[in-house]
Amino acid sequence: MENRPDEAEFRAWLLARLGEYLERPVEDLDTAVPFAESGLDSVAALSLCGDIEDAYGLVLEPTVVWDHPTVAALSRHLCACAAVAARPAPGAH
């Protein structure tokens, strides 16, 4: 069975990326505060989607950051996406 990230790993990774984009320590970030209130703009949100694809191979719509607007919500969503991506295709053996 393939080892895929869990919600806690996604959360830690997202906090680290958000800290880099906002130039703030991870300890100052709250997983329940919306990205927009944290100061993440649309350009950084789009870049974050690209980072997720690069790091985890998950291709996401650019609106995912606004559809799941907190680190906690996006972590849950990414975990669900990773679970779906890890399922074998129908008819695969």
Side-chain angles (χ1 to χ4, degrees):
M1 180 170 181
E2 187 176 318
N3 191 13
R4 66 177 183 268
D6 62 11
E7 190 175 328
E9 182 178 331
F10 279 122
R11 188 172 38 254
W13 185 88
L14 285 168
L15 283 170
R17 296 302 300 148
L18 189 60
E20 287 182 34
Y21 282 118
L22 301 176
E23 298 179 347
R24 291 171 43 198
V26 171
E27 299 79 25
D28 290 353
L29 301 173
D30 185 334
T31 62
V33 173
F35 293 120
E37 287 182 29
S38 296
L40 192 73
D41 62 22
S42 59
V43 173
L46 186 60
S47 295
L48 182 61
C49 289
D51 293 343
I52 293 166
E53 183 176 352
D54 291 344
Y56 298 104
L58 298 173
V59 179
L60 304 170
E61 291 295 321
T63 58
V64 72
V65 174
W66 309 125
D67 294 339
H68 306 277
T70 65
V71 168
L74 187 54
S75 298
R76 283 189 298 274
H77 179 70
L78 294 176
C79 196
C81 289
V84 168
R87 288 186 194 145
H93 299 274

